[in-house]
Amino acid sequence: MRLSKMHIKTLREVPNEAEIPSHILLLRTGMIRKLVSGVYGFMPMGWRSVRKIEDIVRQEMDATGAQEIHMSAVQPAELWQESGRWYAYGPELWRLKDRNGRDFCLGPTHEEIFTDIVRNDVSSYRQLPMNLYQIQTKYRDEARPRFGLMRSREFIMKDAYSFDRDQEGLDKSYKTMYDAYDRIFTRCGLKFRPVEADTGAIGGSNSHEFTAISEVGESEIAYCESCSMAATTERAECKDAPAQTGIELKPMEEVHTPGTKTIEEVADFLGLEKSQTIKALLFVTYDEEGKENGYVAAFIRGDRELNMTKLINALSLPEHAIEFADESKMGPVTGAVGGFTGPCGLHDCTIVVDSELPGQVNMCAGACKEDHHLINVNYGRDYEGDIVTDLKVLREGDPCPVCGAPVKHARGIEVGQVFKLGTKYSSSMGAMYKDENQQEHPIVMGCYGIGVTRTLAAIVEQHHDEDGIIWPMSVAPYHVIITLVKPDDQVQAEAAEEIYSALTKAGVETLLDDRKERPGVKFKDADLLGIPVRITVGKLAGEGKVEYKLRRESEKQELTVSEAVEKVIRIVNEEK
Ligand code: ATP
Ligand code: MG
């Protein structure tokens, strides 16, 4: 491709809203173009890289025996009502009506559609196992679209669904996908880590996220260097502090603690450690119509942090059905008092207690009375929970739930996730097969997603410098750029043409910068675009020489035309 003919518009200035390198660089290179918030289009260079990622995904999926299909983005509400997700998916589901008032959505994911295919087409164990996938556009009306392709409202996803007879079959299918993901993200040039994950709105039992390590990522992971524990902080189990034994339970007492609304204030005021206090977090819940239908009080030790995902899972609520409560409204109903709420004396609300608290004795908690706390509060004697479960965030330095060593934290970008769904969808939607004895069973399912466009952003996030992108060969829009310093110089132009046609003939994807621009502009653009190899054809062309340089290295080499061509072909074939 000749750059003079290519439709490309690089930007000097990027909009203020672009805060992170991948967003800034994808806009500056003109690879993506914003239409409205969270909705992007792809220009020629950007689209080539998207297709490279898709090709890698496709090759690795096909190699596992998965079969590619392509379903519509438009999905009828009825299927989502059958699975129960028309409500559970909440406001992220992009809903629409046709001219007759019938409800549809734009698919955020396709479990319902694939389950529907299989319930219609599969009846016998002989047809299993099976894995169907697609690479397709997804829609999620995200509350906060941001960071460009990272969290957008329209994006490309590869989604695969496995169908097995039993759990053992699912375990195998899951492992096959897990291994394929490993190869896919390795080929994309990413540094990543598979971690145990929560199952969220998709459901099911086990799940892993594939997290590309990056400071700007929205996923937080906890991992242990002494053992193999690695999980999202949403999911990571947090061990309870050892139960305190052999300590006398003192009588509960009310104390005057004026103005001490926070854990720090009350601990200071009473001369206690934060770990001797109980922290309250108050929530309101909503029903399917969006009406308030109850209150929840969660209690954890004062030095801990509440893990919202664990609370939501304990309550079996979708994420959008719970919010922090307005204490002035919750107070009259439940007895809660802003800043002074404790588990004693609360009524008409669900009390969820962290599993550590029953083992902690003589604690300090709010008295449900302005400016007052209770001391020597003890579980069982003074309060009880409707639900007692682990509600804690596993923080950096906390003991690893598996081996006890201090855990580490890192940030990352979730580029893919795999789920063991089990029979969640097949049971609710009636996807059954008959075994050898004509007995009916629900099909056991797994699902497997890769954010193709988010992966593109993650790659740029990990491969750039202050001058621009540094594409790994495997996903670069072009392998080589020939920078022709003076297009008007016949010797230079001829040398450039010769290299261009030799490389193109050899199957190397080559850009020829034949624009009538100053050399400085061309070099800057080549660096910005991040093409892995640059061949500069300039003054040395008279002696039959050109300059060879890799974008990722600063070193330059003078080579003859044929040496350069040979070297380029070799490195492209090695790395593509
Ligand atoms: P997140 O937690 O980031 O919202 P998710 O867990 O809801 O993502 P999945 O349902 O697992 O996402 O979707 C599969 C993959 O699709 C994700 O691993 C991610 O790479 C990609 N993805 C999800 N939401 C978006 C989005 N808004 N923009 C771009 N890619 C996305
Ligand atoms: Mg996910």
Side-chain angles (χ1 to χ4, degrees):
M1 183 76 200
R2 289 164 201 277
L3 214 44
S4 62
K5 299 277 188 309
M6 179 181 253
H7 182 64
I8 180 170
K9 188 178 176 200
T10 58
L11 302 179
R12 296 271 166 265
E13 304 279 328
V14 285
N16 290 337
E17 70 190 43
E19 299 164 62
I20 61 166
S22 60
H23 191 190
I24 293 171
L25 287 169
L26 287 168
L27 285 171
R28 273 192 63 198
T29 51
M31 294 180 84
I32 63 170
R33 184 166 296 184
K34 177 173 153 180
L35 188 58
V36 289
S37 166
V39 181
Y40 291 84
F42 296 88
M43 301 312 282
M45 290 272 213
W47 190 238
R48 286 179 72 94
S49 284
V50 169
R51 281 177 33 205
K52 294 258 172 108
I53 299 171
E54 290 185 355
D55 285 346
I56 292 173
V57 169
R58 197 169 270 126
Q59 286 161 16
E60 294 296 342
M61 291 302 294
D62 289 348
T64 67
Q67 302 170 64
E68 185 171 3
I69 61 176
H70 194 87
M71 293 293 110
S72 170
V74 178
Q75 307 187 4
E78 289 79 5
L79 288 176
W80 285 72
Q81 281 149 356
E82 264 189 77
S83 72
R85 288 208 296 182
W86 185 250
Y87 161 67
Y89 216 94
E92 230 176 69
L93 191 61
W94 208 317
R95 296 157 208 261
L96 62 156
K97 286 186 193 294
D98 72 4
R99 64 170 71 197
N100 300 314
R102 192 173 159 203
D103 285 313
F104 291 86
C105 67
L106 296 176
T109 174
H110 276 64
E111 282 76 16
E112 283 78 359
I113 306 301
F114 280 65
T115 308
D116 183 54
I117 295 171
V118 166
R119 75 173 162 188
N120 289 320
D121 299 355
V122 171
S123 52
S124 159
Y125 71 95
R126 287 193 202 87
Q127 294 165 279
L128 302 175
M130 177 162 81
N131 187 320
L132 299 175
Y133 80 98
Q134 63 178 349
I135 298 176
Q136 194 246 13
T137 307
K138 297 284 187 274
Y139 296 86
R140 295 184 184 181
D141 197 1
E142 297 275 357
R144 276 174 296 280
R146 59 177 198 152
F147 294 167
L149 301 182
M150 209 74 94
R151 183 165 301 284
S152 46
R153 298 197 293 170
E154 181 187 75
F155 57 96
I156 300 174
M157 195 205 285
K158 185 284 298 177
D159 45 329
Y161 304 84
S162 66
F163 304 91
D164 279 280
R165 300 180 59 151
D166 49 26
Q167 187 64 38
E168 203 186 325
L170 170 59
D171 291 347
K172 243 192 194 158
S173 299
Y174 188 85
K175 173 84 169 56
T176 303
M177 284 296 109
Y178 185 104
D179 293 346
Y181 276 38
D182 233 71
R183 291 191 295 274
I184 289 168
F185 295 122
T186 303
R187 286 181 63 185
C188 286
L190 285 175
K191 280 198 242 26
F192 64 94
R193 203 182 242 280
V195 299
E196 268 185 55
D198 186 64
T199 52
I202 307 285
S205 56
N206 298 47
S207 179
H208 286 87
E209 266 180 31
F210 285 74
T211 309
I213 305 303
S214 162
E215 272 307 308
V216 304
E218 293 183 291
S219 282
E220 196 171 19
I221 62 176
Y223 64 97
C224 177
E225 283 177 336
S226 304
C227 72
S228 59
M229 191 288 294
T232 62
T233 50
E234 284 180 349
R235 167 76 177 191
E237 186 197 335
C238 181
K239 277 268 183 278
D240 296 342
Q244 299 171 328
T245 51
I247 300 172
E248 187 197 341
L249 304 192
K250 296 187 194 155
M252 188 166 81
E253 231 180 281
E254 188 178 290
V255 288
H256 189 217
T257 52
T260 60
K261 290 201 160 198
T262 65
I263 290 292
E264 283 79 14
E265 285 164 353
V266 71
D268 272 0
F269 184 84
L270 295 173
L272 298 172
E273 294 295 324
K274 286 202 283 184
S275 59
Q276 292 170 283
T277 68
I278 296 177
K279 178 153 67 183
L281 294 114
L282 308 175
F283 301 91
V284 58
T285 58
Y286 299 95
D287 68 11
E288 302 211 359
E289 262 93 57
K291 290 206 197 72
E292 292 185 9
N293 70 347
Y295 291 106
V296 173
F299 294 100
I300 53 174
R301 218 170 64 176
D303 60 326
R304 299 286 200 181
E305 239 173 274
L306 178 75
N307 182 324
M308 202 56 201
T309 305
K310 290 180 183 174
L311 178 65
I312 289 169
N313 289 344
L315 294 164
S316 304
L317 282 177
E319 203 178 320
H320 60 90
I322 181 164
E323 264 179 18
F324 278 109
D326 173 348
E327 289 164 351
S328 66
K329 277 167 79 185
M330 178 172 176
V333 180
T334 64
V337 175
F340 297 93
T341 302
C344 308
L346 267 188
H347 50 83
D348 294 298
C349 76
T350 306
I351 295 182
V352 191
V353 171
D354 178 54
S355 49
E356 175 171 79
L357 287 179
Q360 310 291 302
V361 302
N362 299 331
M363 302 291 279
C364 166
C368 291
K369 184 172 166 189
E370 191 71 30
D371 289 340
H372 286 80
H373 280 82
L374 297 170
I375 53 169
N376 304 326
V377 176
N378 287 295
Y379 189 84
R381 185 190 72 182
D382 306 320
Y383 73 101
E384 275 181 6
D386 300 306
I387 302 172
V388 179
T389 186
D390 172 24
L391 294 176
K392 300 173 285 301
V393 172
L394 178 66
R395 288 169 308 187
E396 185 141 37
D398 282 344
C400 166
V402 178
C403 76
V407 299
K408 301 220 157 188
H409 272 197
R411 299 199 73 81
I413 301 161
E414 179 200 323
V415 284
Q417 188 167 7
V418 291
F419 301 80
K420 286 188 186 172
L421 294 174
T423 56
K424 171 176 164 158
Y425 294 89
S426 48
S427 296
S428 62
M429 296 180 64
M432 313 294 282
Y433 75 92
K434 283 203 178 84
D435 67 16
E436 295 86 337
N437 306 315
Q438 301 303 304
Q439 292 285 317
E440 275 215 324
H441 306 275
I443 297 173
V444 182
M445 291 174 53
C447 76
Y448 316 92
I450 288 182
V452 170
T453 42
R454 187 185 278 182
T455 296
L456 182 75
I459 293 168
V460 177
E461 213 49 66
Q462 288 189 358
H463 298 272
H464 70 271
D465 62 13
E466 59 286 359
D467 296 323
I469 303 174
I470 309 173
W471 289 110
M473 193 70 78
S474 58
V475 292
Y478 288 90
H479 301 135
V480 183
I481 183 163
I482 303 168
T483 302
L484 171 55
V485 175
K486 275 198 181 146
D488 295 336
D489 179 312
Q490 205 183 339
V491 179
Q492 289 186 24
E494 274 170 18
E497 289 293 339
E498 185 189 335
I499 299 170
Y500 181 57
S501 83
L503 290 177
T504 307
K505 218 177 270 162
V508 174
E509 297 168 17
T510 310
L511 258 187
L512 173 58
D513 190 354
D514 57 345
R515 295 173 302 167
K516 295 200 163 48
E517 287 283 359
R518 280 179 293 121
V521 171
K522 295 187 174 189
F523 290 129
K524 266 209 159 63
D525 281 348
D527 281 351
L528 178 65
L529 292 171
I531 308 301
V533 190
R534 188 181 79 200
I535 299 291
T536 306
V537 183
K539 281 202 289 282
L540 294 171
E543 303 160 32
K545 288 206 168 149
V546 294
E547 188 186 275
Y548 170 97
K549 182 183 173 300
L550 297 184
R551 174 65 179 88
R552 61 174 185 250
E553 289 172 6
S554 51
E555 189 194 325
K556 298 168 187 163
Q557 269 180 286
E558 279 175 19
L559 300 174
T560 66
V561 167
S562 61
E563 280 168 349
V565 168
E566 212 174 287
K567 205 169 162 87
V568 171
I569 293 173
R570 195 167 341 114
I571 190 167
V572 169
N573 285 331
E574 268 165 28
E575 294 186 14
K576 80 175 176 191

